[in-house]
Amino acid sequence: MDKKGLTGFQLKMIGLILMVFDHLYSFLDNMPIQFKWIGRIVAPIFIFMTVEGYYHTSNKKKYMLRLFIGSFVMNLGNLIVPKYFPSANNIALTANIFSTLFMITIYLCIVDFIIRAIKEKNILKITLGIALFILPVALGILIIMNIETLLSVQILGHLVLFIPNPLFIEGGPLFLLIGIVMYLLRKNRKKQLLIYAIISLAIMFTGQLSIQGILYDNFQWMMVFAAPLLYLYNGQKGRGMKYLFYIFYPVHIYILYIISTL
């Protein structure tokens, strides 16, 4: 390595390995809960790397298009695979981190737009940026308010699956918030990870503050343990293989799902 620490490639490989453990617990019986614990640090790693990728890419539109295509294909697979391999255990195929990462890049574009508008002191653009920021959430609330009607005409599935929305993506508004915070504070790694840690630990207080509560019921706070790995990021891209994640993520999920149906 040119610098000490972890390259982007190495961080992604750590994420991919721990992702397998997380999904082993999700799809197969009798897996230890510890697999789920270590899986909590996976999404933050890929959110962090998406923020870095968005910032450094020379073609943001192309970068976002890749994430959207990944989201679309994954959602399509989530519909098709269960038709040929129905689950007797009612295991649902809902995983799609691509939708989350794509929605994060959408909001980063909006954040950039608002920042430029503030620098230009353009009130009209600032108002437009705020409206764009709120609009997807408002649409999500509208869907929830009309969910019975939408379900009856089978529109909801198409809206949610093929048009990502902050309220329905994997991780929801929480992961979206983390992505925005990481982006705004990316030039100050210590402050960035401090705020990230505070957000992570705050989740602990949304459930029962007991051993049962924080270890077995509400353990999403464990994503705080991604912070040391993110701190070790040395700013280097590392090896290529940019399509590895796009391929490995859906393939290993569908393999584990099919095994679970058998």
Side-chain angles (χ1 to χ4, degrees):
M1 294 186 293
D2 295 329
K3 297 181 179 180
K4 294 181 179 180
L6 296 172
T7 66
F9 174 78
Q10 290 168 329
L11 272 176
K12 289 178 181 178
M13 289 306 299
I14 291 172
L16 288 179
I17 293 169
L18 298 183
M19 180 192 297
V20 174
F21 286 95
D22 185 28
H23 292 139
L24 280 171
Y25 181 89
S26 297
F27 291 106
L28 303 182
D29 294 332
N30 302 316
M31 293 291 110
I33 188 67
Q34 287 79 11
F35 282 13
K36 203 65 178 173
W37 292 350
I38 61 176
R40 297 311 86 208
I41 74 174
V42 174
I45 288 175
F46 284 104
I47 291 173
F48 178 85
M49 293 311 305
T50 297
V51 168
E52 287 293 307
Y54 173 86
Y55 180 81
H56 288 291
T57 185
S58 58
N59 192 330
K60 287 180 171 52
K61 291 181 180 179
K62 188 176 180 180
Y63 183 75
M64 294 168 68
L65 180 61
R66 283 202 305 269
L67 289 172
F68 176 76
I69 292 173
S71 171
F72 183 87
V73 172
M74 188 78 185
N75 282 325
L76 195 61
N78 288 350
L79 288 176
I80 294 174
V81 172
K83 291 184 178 180
Y84 292 95
F85 298 92
S87 173
N89 299 325
N90 295 319
I91 296 177
L93 266 178
T94 58
N96 191 345
I97 196 64
F98 292 131
S99 293
T100 303
L101 301 181
F102 171 70
M103 184 54 60
I104 286 173
T105 61
I106 289 291
Y107 267 86
L108 296 188
C109 281
I110 297 172
V111 167
D112 282 340
F113 181 84
I114 294 174
I115 291 175
R116 285 196 301 269
I118 292 174
K119 290 180 178 179
E120 296 170 2
K121 298 181 180 179
N122 189 318
I123 302 300
L124 182 61
K125 286 186 177 181
I126 293 173
T127 304
L128 176 60
I130 294 173
L132 290 172
F133 199 92
I134 297 173
L135 182 60
V137 176
L139 289 174
I141 294 173
L142 185 63
I143 290 174
I144 293 174
M145 291 173 62
N146 295 276
I147 193 166
E148 293 184 1
T149 303
L150 291 170
L151 284 173
S152 65
V153 294
Q154 297 182 341
I155 296 177
L156 179 62
H158 294 86
L159 287 174
V160 175
L161 291 176
F162 299 109
I163 305 176
N165 183 277
L167 300 187
F168 303 109
I169 56 175
E170 186 173 340
L174 173 65
F175 283 1
L176 192 59
L177 172 64
I178 289 172
I180 294 173
V181 168
M182 286 183 170
Y183 183 67
L184 292 175
L185 300 176
R186 67 169 305 279
K187 293 184 179 180
N188 189 327
R189 183 73 54 80
K190 291 182 179 180
K191 184 181 292 186
Q192 177 194 57
L193 295 180
L194 174 62
I195 300 300
Y196 166 73
I198 291 173
I199 293 173
S200 301
L201 293 175
I203 299 172
M204 189 185 301
F205 297 93
T206 62
Q208 293 184 352
L209 294 178
S210 62
I211 298 298
Q212 174 67 32
I214 64 176
L215 293 183
Y216 299 98
D217 298 327
N218 180 31
F219 47 78
Q220 185 62 41
W221 64 269
M222 293 184 185
M223 65 183 187
V224 69
F225 295 114
L229 290 173
L230 302 182
Y231 185 75
L232 291 175
Y233 175 59
N234 60 17
Q236 303 296 303
K237 181 179 179 181
R239 295 180 60 182
M241 302 176 69
K242 66 180 179 181
Y243 291 107
L244 174 64
F245 174 57
Y246 291 92
I247 297 172
F248 181 84
Y249 175 70
V251 168
H252 93 281
I253 283 181
Y254 294 144
I255 289 175
L256 290 175
Y257 170 80
I258 292 171
I259 291 174
S260 74
T261 66
L262 301 176

